[in-house]
């Protein structure tokens, strides 16, 4: 694997390899010594053009557990915010000897530009770009599903036949996109549920069922997994839906909807949650909820990704 | 062309002898933990454990469904000194018996002992898991050419080799056949062996290599 | 090749397909025929296998001067025009200061005259500072030495319906035309590429076709209502072609242009996030490209105009959102037209002469332009080798910027010679030096 930019272009074998390696990484987290020497002497740069403490510390923990050195480079708010900054920053990092760059950027495609520009010759990990993709989130979600569904027998397995309903702001969600492509590759079938204003134009050509009615979908699909997406406060002011109350009533996983779910339905949320808006406290804190597991698994997935990107001879990958 | 140096019966005899020697040196099966190094070491460890169980059935508690409580796997991939060379290595699961390794006699099992670098990595990996009372090493083949001060305590067969030669250990579980063969690969891959380092030649040969 | 030389172009193929020798003297074509005499002092150009086209006219060029000289100047932009076979360019008004006063348009025109690579005709802004609020001094610009006839806020849409109506009415006073950049601003806030399944997949904000089509529909109805001439810039969607076809069938005086890139390239290129493909209006779908080609073939689309939009390297070496919109297009326009329209059998060379010379000159009310190779016509023409197929490379670019989407692409044809006012601006596929061209231009001016 040369870069991890999307799940769209991840093969089934490559995806399962990452998930399986993450299983080994997860085992390490249960030991007294939680550290592996695999990336000793390597430098991983977290290049964040957009604030995300959660994602950054997850990558930081992953790199450190593999004994890599970590440099956090927050480009947000600094004078470099437009135009040539990405190039300048990349060349600076290259000159500093970065062995891998984890990039979070508000502009879709920025990680790909970085990977293909020739400004820096290091593996690039997309830690979320605009409304495009967030591949490690999708991988950790798939990892979480696999673990819950197969009880410790998940190595080597895909998600064939698993039903996943993703609810909320699909339009602006890189998590939804990355999840869709990965889940499709792994054999799951996915349904998006959202108000029509928050469904991307052309999504009817994607391998996904689209619904505007959460209750009808939950009743008809009996999904194995319900994934709730965060509603950003700025959407409420941009006429995508009338107000938070109406959104919550129609598309929120409230106590009534949660109680109606079978007790083995997995409830997921990529965080941070708006309790009481897209998900009720009872649903979020239930045994069916994987919210904290997702955080834990995120470190394992990112360890796996960093390990696979940084080990082996880079020339051999060309 | 490959030349068979150990037949299935030879291998069985060697493993049986190793099992007896382990029991003898440990004065029984108490506090014994046998950890195979992936890939083939894991199967060899399971066989040695099974033989020990047959010899001293009362001494080894069995875990229902999962074989012996004394056998497991120790993956050393993440501790290797050559991770940034060659192709990317996928780690294998580490499985430590529920009793852990603290205070135990741990016997590491591998198929071929060559440079010693894999064993060095395994010792480091073991160190991060616990503190055994003593660590021993059992190998099916010792082919010489050590690059580190490491030696095996239990050896199935000493097999002096040239570095141009390649040892293929084939096990029924993985390869369908059960034999150890030796082949000269210098003519076909003059630089491959040095690029991979001697320690890596114990890894599973691909089907193409095995049949070539 | 020096000033005041007479030229004999031997054996050129005229757009209609006939072969002829052309004699060029004193900035005019003085003889057309076969086996013309080679008198002394003539420079003979062997044009066997070359097609002679009337000097190309670009109704939509961004020369960037004044204000953005790091991207292009009138000199470098008109040099790029010459390299592409153009002898006239209409310079868009989004300069700094904006070309919304007589002073700025006269300055642009004067810079063009001095450079001499092509006739530079400034376009005047419709509204002050392109702000879309008050009409600029349209009359003053029309009556200035620059004789402005085309008015446009290009880069921005005149979206206020009442203001657009007034502009259409007002320019009629001077036989002018409003060239509209049709883009509903609210529907395209922060838009990055064509809206559709691909923009959704790539996470780039969509620029819906309806944002263009709805403005064109409104504008043709306004033009009909007030009886004025309307020109639609860079039509990019199949729906827009339909609206214009309908308007023309009603007898509305609307003309429309398509850019070379919208006739060849599609949105799929954006999968690379390579900002060379970032342009406004955006690259569309394959069906849009086909509709535009058919529109040109059936006359719904009147002309090809380049929307040559130079940008410095750093504006394109960036993440997609941060990169600038626009592509250079003067040098490649004819090759793209040949590749997309001639090689596909949709248009003839005579059609190319119409859509890249005659009609744009008519729309812009370009004085002293003749599309016929007849005795007495101004010697503005280009000689093209249609038989070559080559990789378009940096050597083909003659402007200041290199943001061409065609670099590395195989295109047909090549401009071998361009003559402006009887002197060569391109000779043997090489742009003539600036001082030589400026001297020739001064000599022409003195004798005119
Ligand atoms: Zn425009």
């Amino acid at each position: 694997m040369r870069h991890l930019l999307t799940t769209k272009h991840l093969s089934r074998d490559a995806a399962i390899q990452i998930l399986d390696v993450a299983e080994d990484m997860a085992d390490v987290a249960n030991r007294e010594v939680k550290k592996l020497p695999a990336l000793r002497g390597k430098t991983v740069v977290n290049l964040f053009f957009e604030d995300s403490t959660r994602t950054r510390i997850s990558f930081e923990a992953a790199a450190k557990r593999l004994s890599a050195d970590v440099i956090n480079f927050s480009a947000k708010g600094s004078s470099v915010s437009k135009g040539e900054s990405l190039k300048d920053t990349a060349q600076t990092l290259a000159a500093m000897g970065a062995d891998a760059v984890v990039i979070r950027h508000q502009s879709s495609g920025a990680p790909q530009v970085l990977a293909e520009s020739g400004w820096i010759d290091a593996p690039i990990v997309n830690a979320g770009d605009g409304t495009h993709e967030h591949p490690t989130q999708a991988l950790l979600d798939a990892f979480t599903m696999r673990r819950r569904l197969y009880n410790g027998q998940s190595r080597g397995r895909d998600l064939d036949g698993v039903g996943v309903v993703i609810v909320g702001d699909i339009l602006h969600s890189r998590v939804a996109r990355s999840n869709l492509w990965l889940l499709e590759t792994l054999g799951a079938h996915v349904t998006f549920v959202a108000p029509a204003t928050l469904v991307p134009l052309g999504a009817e050509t994607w391998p996904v069922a689209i619904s505007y009615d959460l209750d009808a979908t939950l009743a008809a699909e009996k999904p194995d997994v319900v994934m709730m997406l965060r509603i950003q406060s700025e959407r409420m002011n941009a006429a995508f839906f009338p107000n938070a109350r109406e959104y919550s009533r129609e598309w929120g996983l409230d106590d009534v909807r949660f109680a109606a779910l079978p007790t083995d339905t997995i409830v997921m949320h990529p965080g941070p949650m708006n309790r009481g808006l897209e998900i009720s406290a009872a649903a979020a804190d239930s045994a069916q909820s994987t919210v904290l597991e997702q955080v834990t698994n995120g470190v394992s997935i990112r360890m796996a990704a960093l390990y696979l990107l940084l080990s082996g001879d880079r020339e051999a990958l060309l | 062309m490959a030349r068979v140096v150990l037949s299935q019966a030879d291998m069985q005899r060697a493993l049986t002898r190793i099992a007896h020697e382990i029991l003898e040196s440990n004065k029984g099966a108490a506090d014994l933990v046998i950890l195979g190094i992936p890939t083939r070491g894991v199967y060899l460890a399971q066989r040695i454990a099974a033989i020990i169980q047959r010899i001293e059935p009362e001494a080894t508690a069995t875990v229902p469904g999962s074989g012996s409580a004394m056998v497991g796997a120790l993956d050393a991939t993440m501790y290797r000194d050559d991770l940034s060379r060659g192709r990317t290595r996928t780690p294998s699961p580490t499985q430590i018996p529920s009793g852990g390794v603290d205070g135990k006699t741990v016997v590491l099992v591998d198929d071929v002992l060559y440079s010693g670098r894999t064993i060095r990595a395994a010792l480091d990996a073991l160190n991060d898991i616990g503190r055994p009372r003593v660590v021993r090493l059992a190998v099916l083949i010792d082919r010489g050419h050590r690059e580190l001060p490491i030696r095996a305590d239990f050896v199935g067969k000493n097999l002096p080799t040239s570095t141009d030669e390649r040892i293929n250990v084939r096990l029924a579980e993985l390869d369908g056949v059960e034999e150890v063969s030796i082949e000269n690969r210098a003519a076909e891959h003059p630089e491959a062996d040095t690029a991979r380092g001697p320690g890596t030649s114990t890894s599973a040969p691909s089907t193409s290599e095995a049949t070539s | 090749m020096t000033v005041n030389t007479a030229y004999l172009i031997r054996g050129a193929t005229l757009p209609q397909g006939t072969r002829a020798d052309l004699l060029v003297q004193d900035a005019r074509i003085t003889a057309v025929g076969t086996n013309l005499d080679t008198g002394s002092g003539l420079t003979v150009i062997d044009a066997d296998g070359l097609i002679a086209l009337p000097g190309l006219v670009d109704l939509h060029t961004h020369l960037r001067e004044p204000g953005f000289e790091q991207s292009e100047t009138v000199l470098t932009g008109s040099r790029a025009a010459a390299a592409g076979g153009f002898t006239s360019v209409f310079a868009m008004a989004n300069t700094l200061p904006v070309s919304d006063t007589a002073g700025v348009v006269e300055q642009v025109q004067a810079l063009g005259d001095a450079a001499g690579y092509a006739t530079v005709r400034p376009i005047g802004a419709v509204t002050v500072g392109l702000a879309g609020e008050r009409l600029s001094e349209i009359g003053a610009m029309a009556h200035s030495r620059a004789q402005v006839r085309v008015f446009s806020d290009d880069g921005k849409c005149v979206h206020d319906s009442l203001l657009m109506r007034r502009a259409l009415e007002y320019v009629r006073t001077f036989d002018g035309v409003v060239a509209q950049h049709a883009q509903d601003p609210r529907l395209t806030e922060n838009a990055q590429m064509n809206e559709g399944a691909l923009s959704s997949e790539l996470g780039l904000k969509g620029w819906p076709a309806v944002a263009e089509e709805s403005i064109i529909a409104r504008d043709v109805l306004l033009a009909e209502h007030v009886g004025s001439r309307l020109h639609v810039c860079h039509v990019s969607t199949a729906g827009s072609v339909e609206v214009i076809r309908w308007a023309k069938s009603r007898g509305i005086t609307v003309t429309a242009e398509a850019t070379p890139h919208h006739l060849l390239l599609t949105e799929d290129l954006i999968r690379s996030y390579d900002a060379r493909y970032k342009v406004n209006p955006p690259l569309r779908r394959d069906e849009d490209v086909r509709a535009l080609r058919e529109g040109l073939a059936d006359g719904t689309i009147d002309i090809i105009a380049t929307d040559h939009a130079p940008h410095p390297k750093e504006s394109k070496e960036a993440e997609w959102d941060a990169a600038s919109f626009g592509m250079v297009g003067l040098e490649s326009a004819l090759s793209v037209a040949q590749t997309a329209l001639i090689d596909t059998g949709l248009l003839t060379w005579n059609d190319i002469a119409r859509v890249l010379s005659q009609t744009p000159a008519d729309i812009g009310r370009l004085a002293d332009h003749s599309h016929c190779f007849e005795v007495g016509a101004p010697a503005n023409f280009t000689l093209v080798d249609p038989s070559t197929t080559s990789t378009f490379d940096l050597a083909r670019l003659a402007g200041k910027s290199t943001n061409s989407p065609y670099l590395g692409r195989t295109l047909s044809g090549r401009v071998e010679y361009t003559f402006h006012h009887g002197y060569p601006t391109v000779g043997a596929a090489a742009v003539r030096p600036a001082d030589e061209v400026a001297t020739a231009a001064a000599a022409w001016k003195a004798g005119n």
Side-chain angles (χ1 to χ4, degrees), chain A residues 17 35 65 74 82 104 127 129 132 138 158 161 193 202 220 222 246 272 286 296 304:
Chain A
Q17 185 190 32
K35 207 161 170 145
R65 283 193 186 167
S74 174
K82 279 223 147 192
R104 159 73 64 114
D129 62 328
H132 178 220
D158 59 18
V193 183
K222 303 204 177 2
E246 175 153 324
S286 70
T296 306

Side-chain angles (χ1 to χ4, degrees), chain C residues 60 62 92 94 152-156 180-183 233-234 257 280-281 307:
Chain C
H60 192 146
H62 295 276
M92 275 298 175
N94 59 343
S152 180
D153 274 3
D154 182 64
K156 292 195 172 159
Q180 174 72 297
H181 170 119
Q183 176 179 5
C233 295
H234 41 53
E257 76 191 30
N280 190 27
D307 196 3

